[in-house]
Amino acid sequence: MTALFSKDTVRRGIAAHSAIGLVCCALLYLICVSGTAIVLYEEWQRLEQPSAPEMESIAPQAVERAIANVAATEAGQTPTTHLYVHMPTEALPRTTVTTDTQAVHVDAQGAIAAPEENAWAEFLLGLHYTLNLPPVLGMTLVGMFGAMIVALAVSGIVAHPRIFRDAFRLRARRKDDVATLDWHNRLAVWTLPFALVIALTGAMIGLFYVSGASLAETAYDGDGDAALAPVFGAEPEGDAAPAPFPRVAPVLDYMNREYPGVRVSYLILHDPGTRGQHVQVVGEHERRLIFGEYYAFAADGSFKGTAGLADGETGQQFAASIYKLHFGNYGGLPVKIAYIVFGIALSVVVTTGTFIWLNKQARKGRPRPVIRAGWWGVTIGVPVAILATLLARLTLGNGAPFAAIFWLVTLAMVGGAILRSRQAGQRGALAPTRGFAP
C-alpha cells in the first residue's frame, strides 16, 4: 500500500508540530515571567519617575483645583469622555489626573507638577495582558493559556499518583534527567494552589472580552454596557449639551463623612462638561478582596447609590475579587513577595516541563538539538529582553520602543542559540571519530 506522505514530508510535519509546540510553551513561559514582573507594577512606576510628588492623602478642594487646572489645559479641544483622578494609595502615593489625551501628576495643592511617564510599566502590563497584540486577540489568547495551565496542573496530578507523597523528595544533586524531573514535580506540587488560582482568574480575565461580547450579542442586542450592568452597574442616559464641570469636593466630603472606613482610590468623571455628566467613586474596603465598590453621584453631588460589588449578589462580589487574586495587590509587600516567589517557581515548572519532554525524546533516539537550543534561548532570552527594556527606559527615556526592543532581543537570543547549536553539530560531524582507522 502506498504511503499517503513521503518520509521526508512526515519528517517535516513532525518538525513543524514540534516547533508549534515550542511556540505555545514559549508564550506560556512569557505569560508567567511577565506576570511575575508585573506584581511590582506600582513600584515600577515609582522607579520610573521618582521625582513625581507623593502624598499620603489630598484634600477634596485640592482635587477640585487639580481637575480645573487640567480642564483649563484642554480648553478649545474635543471634550474628554472620561476624566480619572488616581487618589493616593499605600502602594502608589500619588495623585494623577488622566483624560482621553493626557495624564499628569499633581501636587498636594492641586497644581500640575509633571506629565505621567510610566511607559515601561504600561509596556510590562500590556505584555502580560495581551502579548503586545490587539487587545481582544491578545487577552483571548492569554485567557486560553490560563485554561491550559489549569489542564496541565490537573493532568499532572493524575499522571503522577505519588506526586504528593514525594512532595519533599528532591534529588537535586544528581546531574541527570532525574534532577530536572524532581525539580519540576516538587515545584509543581508546592505551587499548585497558587497556579490554580492564578490560572483560573487569568482565564476569567482573559476570556472576559469573548464571553462579554457573546453575551451582549445574544442577550442584549449588541449592547455591551447593558450586558455588564448587572455586575458593575448601569450607566445613566447621556446628554451632550454643555454644562459646567461638577464640583467634586462635596462628593469626597460625603465619602469621608458617610464611609470613613472606605479609602477612595479613584474619582471618575463621566462625560464631564455636559449635562449628562455624573461622578463615580471607586472605594477600597479593608480586608476585602474586591478591587473596590462603585459609589455613584449626580453632577450636583447628590449620592445615587452603589453598584453592589461589596454587598450585592455573590457573583458580583466574586467578579470584583478576581483582579486582586490574580495580581497579588492585596496584603501589602509580604503578599507581593510571595507572588513573586511562586511566580518564579511556576516559570521554572514551565521551562523544566519542556526539557523533560526533550530528554524523553533523546532517550527514544529522537534528539532534537535545534529545538533544545531554541528552548534555552527562550528560557534565558525572555528575562534578558525584559531587562533590556528596563535599561532602555533608564537610558533612552519614556519614549523608547519597548515592544520592539523586547521582541528583537528575544528573537536574537533564540536565533543565536539555534545557530550555535547547528555550528556545533557541523563541527561534530566533521570531527574524526575516536578510534576510527581509515
Side-chain angles (χ1 to χ4, degrees), residues 353-373:
T354 303
F355 281 123
I356 289 170
W357 176 78
L358 289 168
N359 293 339
K360 287 182 178 180
Q361 293 297 304
R363 288 196 299 271
K364 293 178 181 179
R366 297 192 293 269
R368 288 174 166 76
V370 173
I371 291 180
R372 180 181 292 274

Side-chain angles (χ1 to χ4, degrees), residues 131-307:
L131 302 174
N132 297 142
L133 296 171
V136 175
L137 174 61
M139 290 195 70
T140 301
L141 190 60
V142 171
M144 292 170 60
F145 277 107
M148 184 186 298
I149 293 178
V150 176
L152 288 171
V154 174
S155 61
I157 295 172
V158 174
H160 301 85
R162 294 177 48 181
I163 195 168
F164 291 105
R165 188 173 68 180
D166 295 339
F168 297 99
R169 185 185 182 193
L170 185 61
R171 293 161 289 186
R173 293 184 178 181
R174 296 183 57 162
K175 302 297 183 182
D176 56 11
D177 300 352
V178 174
T180 303
L181 184 63
D182 275 4
W183 274 116
H184 178 83
N185 289 341
R186 298 303 85 79
L187 289 175
V189 172
W190 300 338
T191 61
L192 182 61
F194 172 81
L196 289 176
V197 168
I198 293 299
L200 283 170
T201 54
M204 292 175 187
I205 295 171
L207 296 175
F208 169 79
Y209 277 95
V210 176
S211 58
S214 299
L215 179 64
E217 287 295 330
T218 56
Y220 294 92
D221 296 325
D223 189 343
D225 290 337
L228 297 178
V231 178
F232 298 106
E235 288 280 335
E237 291 292 331
D239 184 345
F245 267 57
R247 292 195 60 205
V248 299
V251 170
L252 294 174
D253 286 335
Y254 181 93
M255 291 297 301
N256 292 332
R257 183 177 65 252
E258 299 297 328
Y259 297 95
V262 174
R263 178 157 190 170
V264 176
S265 57
Y266 272 96
L267 182 74
I268 308 172
L269 274 61
H270 296 260
D271 301 315
T274 70
R275 288 184 182 176
Q277 65 192 349
H278 60 283
V279 181
Q280 195 173 47
V281 168
V282 181
E284 294 182 348
H285 289 230
E286 289 223 12
R287 301 185 181 278
R288 294 293 303 276
L289 282 175
I290 59 170
F291 68 82
E293 173 65 280
Y294 287 136
Y295 299 84
F297 294 82
D300 61 4
S302 59
F303 180 58
K304 294 299 183 181
T306 63

Side-chain angles (χ1 to χ4, degrees), residues 48-60:
E48 280 193 83
Q49 202 171 10
S51 61
E54 297 194 342
M55 61 214 75
E56 292 185 1
S57 62
I58 184 170

Side-chain angles (χ1 to χ4, degrees), residues 109-124:
Q109 289 71 46
I112 297 175
E116 183 184 46
E117 296 181 344
N118 61 344
W120 185 74
E122 292 298 323
F123 155 74
L124 269 186

Side-chain angles (χ1 to χ4, degrees), residues 71-96:
T73 67
E74 298 188 354
Q77 301 179 16
T78 302
T80 185
T81 58
H82 293 86
L83 186 147
Y84 302 87
V85 181
H86 173 273
M87 303 289 284
T89 61
E90 183 178 354
L92 191 61
R94 298 176 173 181
T95 303
T96 308

